[in-house]
Amino acid sequence: MLNFYKYHGAGNDFIMIDNRALDFNLKDKELIKLLCHRRFGVGADGIILVEEDKEHDFKMVFINNDGSMGSMCGNGGRCIVHFAYHILDIVKDPTNVHFRAIDGVHVAEIKGDEIRLKMRDIKEITTKNDLPFICQGTTPHNIQFVTDLANFPVVEAGRRIRNSDSNGVNVNFVEEIDGIYYVRTYERGVEDETWACGTGATSVAIACHALGKLRTNICNIKMPGGDLTVLFKKMPGDTYENIWLIGEAKCVFKGEWK
């Protein structure tokens, strides 16, 4: 019997599993695909495991819904912090959470359902696939500015750009309306549009500022699944530090899988 919790952060949804006993088989791709299947399973963009870490509150392991190991996920990171604190009760200080992920140690703050996650510093904004490119930690993102985002063919265009890159890349399509940045994202690993992407939201905010489209150090972003806020500090050159991804994380339900 597998116990799990279903979570979402701005519509980016995950299956949360307490794997401190290390009894979940990370290599069982067929089970992972089935659990994440939206018709025959629970349905999710990915599976996130909580494991023990001797030096920090916990360890985060993220698995894409195709069974591959995922890079750091911003909304998933916010959800796992909520899960570790509100459900598992393993967080020592909600104002100073530390956890380890594939790209190193992350810091977060908990204010009820609002989770503030500190993201990796960004030290350069370059061009790749003829589009602005940012690597948020270990997660690569292209940004494309479009008009009429609501009717834009995100899956078709995103898949073409993603597959033109030898390593695969996430693609964020952006439209600014009255100071709000509307974003739709095609994610590698999921191989489809997702309702939100935390590292994508962060990359969009930094790219907009670096390109002169955003004049302040706060970016309000609307994704199909909800709202996110990105705070940051511009340093000399192309470096951005103290980047915080802010938004609610929600536990939807608890379940059992035989």
Side-chain angles (χ1 to χ4, degrees):
M1 185 73 72
L2 175 67
N3 295 305
F4 68 89
Y5 288 77
K6 178 68 181 288
Y7 261 80
H8 86 85
N12 210 183
D13 61 339
F14 310 96
I15 298 169
M16 295 287 175
I17 298 173
D18 179 359
N19 194 42
R20 287 175 290 173
L22 299 178
D23 51 9
F24 184 83
N25 186 359
L26 293 169
K27 297 181 180 180
D28 192 345
K29 290 191 175 183
E30 294 308 312
L31 173 61
I32 292 165
K33 290 178 183 178
L34 181 58
L35 284 166
C36 292
H37 199 289
R38 297 194 181 279
R39 296 187 184 274
F40 302 111
V42 179
D45 291 328
I47 295 175
I48 303 181
L49 310 177
V50 172
E51 297 183 357
E52 295 276 8
D53 189 286
K54 293 181 180 179
E55 298 177 357
H56 306 94
D57 290 302
F58 59 88
K59 177 183 176 182
M60 168 186 175
V61 178
F62 177 53
I63 312 167
N64 292 313
N65 67 7
D66 64 357
S68 63
M69 297 303 297
S71 51
M72 178 57 189
C73 174
N75 285 324
R78 294 191 306 101
C79 286
I80 200 172
V81 168
H82 190 287
F83 179 52
Y85 178 67
H86 288 288
I87 304 297
L88 301 183
D89 194 26
I90 59 173
V91 170
K92 300 179 181 68
D93 180 0
T95 66
N96 190 27
V97 184
H98 288 75
F99 68 94
R100 186 180 300 279
I102 191 171
D103 60 341
V105 177
H106 289 265
V107 178
E109 298 175 359
I110 303 168
K111 296 182 178 181
D113 286 339
E114 182 186 275
I115 308 296
R116 301 164 58 97
L117 178 65
K118 190 174 183 181
M119 307 296 284
R120 289 280 177 247
D121 295 345
I122 293 174
K123 298 185 178 180
E124 63 176 356
I125 298 93
T126 60
T127 301
K128 195 173 189 180
N129 304 314
D130 296 321
L131 294 169
F133 175 80
I134 288 176
C135 194
Q136 174 61 66
T138 58
T139 310
H141 285 277
N142 271 134
I143 297 95
Q144 181 174 339
F145 297 93
V146 303
T147 57
D148 193 18
L149 178 62
N151 295 307
F152 189 82
V154 166
V155 174
E156 179 183 349
R159 187 169 291 155
R160 182 175 62 253
I161 297 168
R162 180 258 191 267
N163 290 330
S164 69
D165 189 284
S166 59
N167 296 317
V169 65
N170 301 292
V171 190
N172 305 275
F173 300 94
V174 188
E175 183 177 26
E176 186 268 330
I177 302 175
D178 297 330
I180 305 295
Y181 292 83
Y182 293 78
V183 181
R184 294 174 63 189
T185 301
Y186 181 93
E187 285 197 53
R188 65 174 187 173
V190 178
E191 305 308 336
D192 203 348
E193 180 181 3
T194 55
W195 281 45
C197 177
T199 53
T202 303
S203 297
V204 166
I206 300 305
C208 286
H209 189 272
L211 295 170
K213 297 178 179 293
L214 176 69
R215 301 294 183 181
T216 66
N217 70 332
I218 180 170
C219 186
N220 295 311
I221 291 177
K222 281 188 176 291
M223 290 184 156
D227 300 342
L228 294 168
T229 301
V230 179
L231 299 176
F232 56 86
K233 182 177 181 180
K234 175 69 168 65
M235 306 300 289
D238 287 337
T239 300
Y240 289 81
E241 298 181 354
N242 292 323
I243 304 170
W244 291 86
L245 178 67
I246 304 168
E248 289 191 339
K250 292 285 189 180
C251 179
V252 183
F253 62 84
K254 176 184 178 181
E256 296 177 337
W257 180 276
K258 285 189 177 181

